[in-house]
Amino acid sequence: MARINHVAIVGGTHGDEYSGIHLVEKWQKTPALIARDSFTCEALLANPKAHQANQRYIDADLNRQFLRADLADIHLGNYEQSRAKALANYLGPKDAPRCDVIIDLHNTTSNMGPTLVLLKSSPFTTQLGAYVSQIMPSATILFQDGDPSVEHCFLCDLATHGVIIEVGPQPQSLLRHDILAQMEALTLHVLDFTHFYNKNALPALPKSYDAFRYTQTLTLPTADGKLLGTVHPHVQDNDFKELKTGDPLFSLFDGCTVFWEGQSTYPHFINEAAYYDKQLAMSLADKIRVEVLVD
Amino acid sequence: MARINHVAIVGGTHGDEYSGIHLVEKWQKTPALIARDSFTCEALLANPKAHQANQRYIDADLNRQFLRADLADIHLGNYEQSRAKALANYLGPKDAPRCDVIIDLHNTTSNMGPTLVLLKSSPFTTQLGAYVSQIMPSATILFQDGDPSVEHCFLCDLATHGVIIEVGPQPQSLLRHDILAQMEALTLHVLDFTHFYNKNALPALPKSYDAFRYTQTLTLPTADGKLLGTVHPHVQDNDFKELKTGDPLFSLFDGCTVFWEGQSTYPHFINEAAYYDKQLAMSLADKIRVEVLVD
């Protein structure tokens, strides 16, 4: 088993997602709160200029700028593309990173609760998912490892183990007490797990557990770029609840309903404000049983 | 009784409050939906540039630019100050307005449900409140007429009767089906009422009814401009629920709780995203019994 030597906790990858920004500022002031004996840990604000502007980003979504080819392309030079290169140098580089783990903290306006997103399936991540499901049953575990040959464009993919924490619902540009507490608890659970993992001192974990695996993203109904309707009330706020074949999916402004014709699935990021300008309606996931991998 | 001759329905006074913008675009396309026999009615987008930018405003909050002195000051020349002057000419002028009624459509990220805000107390507005409480019991009636000598700076104060419709919770920059339906229903009730009022054909109204009256705005706890805490979970999402003396009000980051030391009151606009940069925590209101005034 490969020991974890260094962890980075990143907030403010999107400048209007305040919970992670608040926690990073808190932990920069009081590093003892994130210190664990068996590894070093730092907290970092990823997109300070966007946060200052109180926007998700200045020129482009920072969390889509971390493909190897884009990081190597000096002609991609807007603010976030430049900041991505600086972050890759500081936290990475992608193929031999200084950070074994990056925990990237995000908020959603959709009703996702505390969600732990894991980019790859490995002994570390499958055991982490098992630990979190056990110690924080309100958390959802979401694997984004459907096609391991496809490279992730996310910031936390700089590290060997990419971890995203998404907590919502929270409107952009403010702090809710409940959401902040959930994000703090979930992040500290990841640190505790990492320490126990390093020390070979994990509590007994289940051999398998329920989780989700991202499959695809649905767009809102449009014609000539104009929106034709909204997410149906049957789906709105029901993140990670089952959507069955034939269930209502979209409610059109003309009064018609669009039904889901695919197989049973689990929507999340439902009617997410950050994705609305791209006319995205929701992401879909399969419910899966994760077998815990051992080193 | 003064007959209502012209009504303007205004959306997009804030460019990221999508429900009103959608309804205005819908009604501009199909004016028959807002046509009533006894008055003329138009639908208008107030801040098109902010909506295009997907922001609340470009330079300044449009809905604070309608004081007589500011409208008369040519040196106040940023985008919203200029747009306010154009709107005042078109819908007003303030002391002899073309519009008898302006209905200004807004969203909140706070949990206010459908709220009808009335700027002044008059036979028209007190009867409108009675009509809406009766036909739409889920709606809250909020009077903002505490000190009649204080001039309002709001867009709808251009008209003889200023009406604001606030509906939430909805994150900024997206559409929720439920919020849209509530806003549409409440706006059409105001139009129906106006028609019945003109025709002297109102249904029997109660002589008095429960409502709220705005009293003051509370700021978040800060020191040297830095936030010290959040709205307490006891208050969060409980818009128009009673806050009693001694109830928890703010939860500080150091673990302490700030309690409400004032008299029993009714918070609203609780932890509203649009007010967060001004470090406003919530508005307060008294519960009142409104006597219906007759002409």
Side-chain angles (χ1 to χ4, degrees):
Chain A
M1 146 199 144
R3 184 192 157 103
I4 306 299
N5 292 306
H6 189 67
V7 174
I9 303 171
V10 174
T13 298
H14 297 129
D16 57 1
E17 294 176 8
Y18 275 25
S19 306
I21 293 165
H22 176 78
L23 289 172
V24 160
E25 288 175 349
K26 170 178 176 170
W27 292 331
Q28 284 176 335
K29 242 180 256 168
T30 316
L33 296 169
I34 51 170
R36 300 291 184 276
D37 286 346
S38 64
F39 58 90
T40 54
C41 187
E42 70 184 302
L44 181 73
L45 202 59
N47 196 332
K49 196 169 144 98
H51 179 49
Q52 217 171 358
N54 196 17
Q55 291 172 194
R56 182 174 174 85
Y57 54 77
I58 300 294
D59 296 319
D61 190 330
L62 177 59
N63 210 26
R64 304 291 181 272
Q65 309 302 330
F66 292 89
L67 292 178
R68 278 181 194 83
D70 293 347
L71 291 170
D73 186 348
I74 192 61
H75 302 295
L76 298 179
N78 71 24
Y79 175 67
E80 276 81 10
Q81 290 162 345
S82 305
R83 182 73 181 155
K85 290 169 174 68
L87 290 165
N89 281 338
Y90 179 71
L91 301 168
K94 202 158 182 174
D95 291 305
R98 183 171 65 86
C99 295
D100 302 300
V101 177
I102 294 176
I103 309 170
D104 193 13
L105 306 180
H106 289 258
N107 289 119
T108 66
T109 67
S110 51
N111 187 27
M112 286 184 43
T115 300
L116 182 74
V117 185
L118 300 166
L119 295 194
K120 290 171 196 158
S121 187
S122 69
F124 180 83
T125 57
T126 58
Q127 289 177 42
L128 171 58
Y131 178 85
V132 166
S133 339
Q134 194 164 264
I135 204 159
M136 192 176 180
S138 63
T140 299
I141 316 297
L142 175 65
F143 278 85
Q144 202 128 354
D145 64 341
D147 184 347
S149 72
V150 172
E151 187 192 358
H152 289 289
C153 57
F154 305 131
L155 185 154
C156 68
D157 197 42
L158 290 173
T160 311
H161 305 292
V163 176
I164 301 173
I165 289 178
E166 297 272 4
V167 192
Q170 177 172 279
Q172 297 163 340
S173 305
L174 62 75
L175 283 177
R176 284 180 63 107
H177 184 273
D178 52 352
I179 301 298
L180 187 62
Q182 287 170 21
M183 183 180 282
E184 183 164 22
L186 182 45
T187 308
L188 296 179
H189 288 321
V190 176
L191 297 183
D192 290 343
F193 166 84
T194 304
H195 179 61
F196 296 142
Y197 178 88
N198 272 345
K199 299 296 248 183
N200 210 7
L202 282 168
L205 295 178
K207 289 201 170 7
S208 67
Y209 58 96
D210 287 332
F212 296 90
R213 174 171 288 139
Y214 168 82
T215 54
Q216 61 168 310
T217 301
L218 293 187
T219 54
L220 287 161
T222 58
D224 302 325
K226 287 286 281 181
L227 214 56
L228 295 182
T230 64
V231 168
H232 195 280
H234 177 80
V235 180
Q236 178 74 50
D237 302 329
N238 287 323
D239 296 68
F240 296 116
K241 305 272 168 63
E242 186 178 9
L243 179 71
K244 295 186 185 135
T245 313
D247 279 350
L249 179 65
F250 298 121
S251 176
L252 302 187
F253 298 135
D254 68 7
C256 294
T257 299
V258 175
F259 298 91
W260 172 239
E261 295 181 351
Q263 290 187 311
S264 162
T265 186
Y266 292 82
H268 55 286
F269 284 115
I270 295 169
N271 213 9
E272 168 61 34
Y275 301 159
Y276 206 76
D277 58 346
K278 297 185 182 69
Q279 299 183 320
L280 302 182
M282 65 194 77
S283 297
L284 301 181
D286 288 338
K287 197 166 196 170
I288 57 170
R289 188 80 189 164
V290 176
E291 303 293 326
V292 174
L293 303 175
V294 287
D295 293 279
Chain B
M1 150 197 139
R3 183 193 158 104
I4 306 299
N5 291 306
H6 189 66
V7 174
I9 304 171
V10 174
T13 298
H14 297 130
D16 57 2
E17 295 176 7
Y18 275 25
S19 305
I21 294 165
H22 176 80
L23 289 172
V24 161
E25 288 174 348
K26 170 178 175 171
W27 292 331
Q28 285 176 334
K29 243 181 255 165
T30 316
L33 296 169
I34 51 170
R36 299 292 182 276
D37 286 345
S38 63
F39 58 91
T40 53
C41 186
E42 69 184 303
L44 180 74
L45 203 58
N47 196 333
K49 196 170 144 97
H51 179 50
Q52 215 169 0
N54 196 17
Q55 292 172 195
R56 182 174 174 85
Y57 54 76
I58 300 294
D59 296 319
D61 190 330
L62 177 59
N63 209 25
R64 303 291 181 272
Q65 309 302 332
F66 292 89
L67 293 179
R68 279 180 193 84
D70 293 347
L71 291 170
D73 185 349
I74 192 62
H75 302 295
L76 298 178
N78 72 25
Y79 174 66
E80 276 81 9
Q81 289 162 345
S82 305
R83 182 72 180 156
K85 290 168 175 67
L87 290 166
N89 281 337
Y90 180 71
L91 300 169
K94 203 159 181 175
D95 291 304
R98 183 170 65 87
C99 294
D100 303 299
V101 178
I102 294 176
I103 309 169
D104 193 14
L105 306 180
H106 289 258
N107 289 120
T108 66
T109 67
S110 51
N111 188 28
M112 288 188 37
T115 300
L116 182 74
V117 185
L118 300 166
L119 296 194
K120 290 171 197 156
S121 188
S122 70
F124 179 83
T125 56
T126 58
Q127 290 178 42
L128 171 57
Y131 178 84
V132 167
S133 337
Q134 193 164 266
I135 205 159
M136 191 175 181
S138 64
T140 299
I141 316 298
L142 174 66
F143 278 85
Q144 203 129 352
D145 64 339
D147 184 348
S149 72
V150 173
E151 188 191 356
H152 289 290
C153 57
F154 305 133
L155 186 153
C156 68
D157 197 42
L158 289 173
T160 311
H161 305 292
V163 176
I164 301 173
I165 289 178
E166 297 272 5
V167 192
Q170 177 171 279
Q172 296 162 341
S173 304
L174 63 75
L175 283 177
R176 283 181 64 107
H177 185 272
D178 52 353
I179 300 298
L180 187 62
Q182 287 169 21
M183 183 179 281
E184 183 164 23
L186 182 45
T187 309
L188 296 180
H189 289 320
V190 176
L191 297 183
D192 289 344
F193 166 84
T194 304
H195 180 61
F196 296 142
Y197 178 89
N198 272 344
K199 300 296 246 185
N200 210 5
L202 283 167
L205 295 178
K207 290 204 171 2
S208 68
Y209 57 97
D210 287 332
F212 296 90
R213 173 170 290 138
Y214 167 82
T215 54
Q216 61 168 310
T217 300
L218 293 188
T219 54
L220 287 160
T222 58
D224 302 326
K226 289 285 281 183
L227 214 56
L228 295 183
T230 63
V231 168
H232 194 281
H234 177 79
V235 180
Q236 178 72 52
D237 302 330
N238 287 322
D239 295 69
F240 296 115
K241 305 271 167 65
E242 187 179 9
L243 179 71
K244 294 187 186 134
T245 314
D247 279 351
L249 180 64
F250 298 121
S251 177
L252 302 188
F253 298 136
D254 67 7
C256 293
T257 299
V258 175
F259 299 90
W260 172 239
E261 295 181 350
Q263 290 187 311
S264 161
T265 186
Y266 292 82
H268 54 286
F269 284 116
I270 295 169
N271 213 9
E272 168 62 35
Y275 301 159
Y276 205 76
D277 58 346
K278 296 184 183 68
Q279 300 182 319
L280 302 182
M282 66 194 75
S283 297
L284 301 181
D286 287 337
K287 197 166 195 170
I288 57 170
R289 188 81 190 165
V290 176
E291 303 292 325
V292 174
L293 304 175
V294 288
D295 293 279

